Amino acid sequence: MAKRIIAACIFTPIMLWIMLVPPPLAWTTLVCFISAVAAFELMRAVGGGKISPPMQAATIASAALLPFGIWAGLGTACVNLLSFVVTAVCFWCAIRAYDEDNGVKIGFSHVLSTLFAGVIIPLGLSALVELRRMDHGKYLVLLAVLLTFATDAGAYFAGVFLGRHKGVTKVSPNKSVEGYIGGFLAGVVFAVLYGIVASKIAGDGVNLFSLALCGLFGAVATEVGDLAFSFIKRQYGVKDYGRILPGHGGMLDRFDSMMFCGPVVLFIVQCLPVF
């Protein structure tokens, strides 16, 4: 627990400073790093030693470059190109392994896992880059990031003090219906209160309805993201994805929910602007 608290006290202020103070490129660079590490962690967790070095290299490069392409305004072209490169490299490695018949079989599931690691993970995290680039981007990206923490906190405390109906899913058997509801409510309340405070600081009016939607659907996405990566852990017998953050695990352990929450918040604020 001490390591967890110390790591949070050190890394959280650094991350927030990079997110809010320098130009958006600094935050984009950090997201590229997080994305690349997360991609590597996922391949290590699910690959079983069968994802070859060229496959890993192509996947990690894709994960690192895609957020930068989003920042540069090359979103669609970048996604298309990197998806093709990762798929082509990984299928070629799988075909070569099949032809050599050396006992190392790279299956279709391994190819799909590299595509998920190299494209889907960075694409989800790139929503945080897009939010930072928008008008009032500092407030919007901070909303998406803090919303995940508020949802997790609401779900935890509601589950501890009110949880009666557990076993909603075997992936997280200790989570209760009351915990999930508490997380959803916490997301809505946080988003609305955050908007009121942000409007005072920014000196602009806010759309509280849009913020409430961000809170509700962002909270749902946060819970889904947490369950999704817990499912992967269960299936492959993984406790933590990595050890890069002492007491917290790997990048996937900390940013899994943001990969789901970020795109949802981005979609809502593009359809119903907050400011």
Side-chain angles (χ1 to χ4, degrees):
M1 179 61 72
K3 286 184 178 180
R4 188 182 184 92
I5 295 173
I6 293 172
C9 291
I10 293 175
F11 291 111
T12 301
I14 294 174
M15 185 186 77
L16 292 176
W17 185 86
I18 295 174
M19 182 193 304
L20 303 176
V21 178
L25 180 58
W27 173 240
T28 302
T29 302
L30 179 58
V31 172
C32 289
F33 172 74
I34 293 170
S35 178
V37 174
F40 171 75
E41 291 174 345
L42 183 68
M43 288 188 291
R44 182 175 58 184
V46 308
K50 294 186 177 181
I51 299 179
S52 65
M55 295 170 69
Q56 293 184 33
T59 302
I60 292 171
S62 174
L65 290 172
L66 200 152
F68 182 78
I70 298 292
W71 171 83
L74 302 173
T76 302
C78 189
V79 172
N80 289 341
L81 175 62
L82 293 175
S83 298
F84 171 76
V85 170
V86 172
T87 303
V89 169
C90 293
F91 266 117
W92 175 250
C93 291
I95 292 168
R96 294 302 303 162
Y98 188 87
D99 288 343
E100 292 171 3
D101 196 22
N102 57 6
V104 178
K105 296 298 183 184
I106 301 174
F108 184 51
S109 62
H110 300 110
V111 175
L112 289 180
S113 66
T114 57
L115 194 60
F116 185 90
V119 178
I120 302 301
I121 285 177
L123 196 57
L125 289 172
S126 292
L128 302 176
V129 173
E130 282 279 17
L131 287 168
R132 181 63 177 85
R133 292 176 65 242
M134 297 175 69
D135 292 337
H136 298 93
K138 295 180 180 179
Y139 300 102
L140 295 176
V141 70
L142 188 60
L143 167 65
V145 171
L146 294 184
L147 178 57
T148 61
F149 294 111
T151 300
D152 287 340
Y156 174 78
F157 286 110
V160 168
F161 294 106
L162 302 173
R164 297 292 183 271
H165 303 85
K166 296 185 178 182
V168 178
T169 170
K170 292 181 180 179
V171 169
S172 294
N174 292 326
K175 289 190 174 182
S176 64
V177 173
E178 293 81 2
Y180 285 116
I181 294 174
F184 301 154
L185 291 176
V188 174
V189 171
F190 166 78
V192 172
L193 293 178
Y194 176 88
I196 294 173
V197 174
S199 69
K200 301 296 184 183
I201 297 174
D204 285 328
V206 296
N207 185 337
L208 293 181
F209 178 69
S210 176
L211 283 163
L213 290 179
C214 287
L216 176 58
F217 291 105
V220 172
T222 294
E223 297 285 7
V224 172
D226 181 63
L227 287 173
F229 283 94
S230 293
F231 166 76
I232 297 173
K233 284 183 178 180
R234 293 276 184 181
Q235 185 171 3
Y236 290 92
V238 176
K239 184 179 184 295
D240 291 319
Y241 284 106
R243 299 178 181 176
I244 194 170
L245 299 172
H248 293 264
M251 290 297 184
L252 274 179
D253 296 292
R254 288 300 91 201
F255 292 91
D256 52 358
S257 298
M258 294 183 198
M259 297 175 198
F260 284 66
C261 181
V264 170
V265 172
L266 176 62
F267 176 77
I268 293 173
V269 300
Q270 285 178 330
C271 294
L272 293 172
V274 170
F275 291 94

